[in-house]
Amino acid sequence: MEYPDFKTWLKQKKIDPKAFASKEMERFMELKKLFDQVNPNSFTAQKLFLINNIRRAYPLQEEEAVAVKKKPMAKPRIVKPKTN
């Protein structure tokens, strides 16, 4: 499974990476460094409380938004026990 880079992840979260980086470079680099070290899901869980504030400060324009690819859930497989 290929994970997104930090800028793509920001776009998925509807955050403008260019505006964020230009206004708060130190914070951007700090978050990018951590993002590069952990799984994106773990990063999201750790920084969930920051995401909304950053999104409000640097909203992404709708035409730039990246569609999040979701895999369809597999149907559960029902296995019947064998009878002897």
Side-chain angles (χ1 to χ4, degrees), residues 38-73:
V38 299
N39 181 293
N41 295 333
S42 177
F43 179 84
T44 302
Q46 290 178 32
K47 301 300 179 186
L48 193 58
F49 66 97
L50 290 176
I51 294 170
N52 282 334
N53 292 335
I54 295 170
R55 184 182 299 127
R56 286 185 197 109
Y58 311 105
L60 184 67
Q61 301 303 320
E62 288 301 317
E63 61 269 8
E64 295 180 44
V66 174
V68 178
K69 295 179 183 177
K70 293 188 178 184
K71 293 183 180 180
M73 290 182 57

Side-chain angles (χ1 to χ4, degrees), residues 2-31:
E2 188 173 321
Y3 295 112
D5 64 0
F6 186 58
K7 288 183 180 181
T8 303
W9 180 86
L10 287 171
K11 288 179 181 180
Q12 289 175 347
K13 299 300 177 194
K14 298 182 180 170
I15 299 169
D16 185 349
K18 292 177 185 175
F20 181 34
S22 68
K23 301 280 181 165
E24 295 187 55
M25 180 55 83
E26 188 174 321
R27 187 176 187 189
F28 178 88
M29 294 306 295
E30 177 184 323
L31 292 175

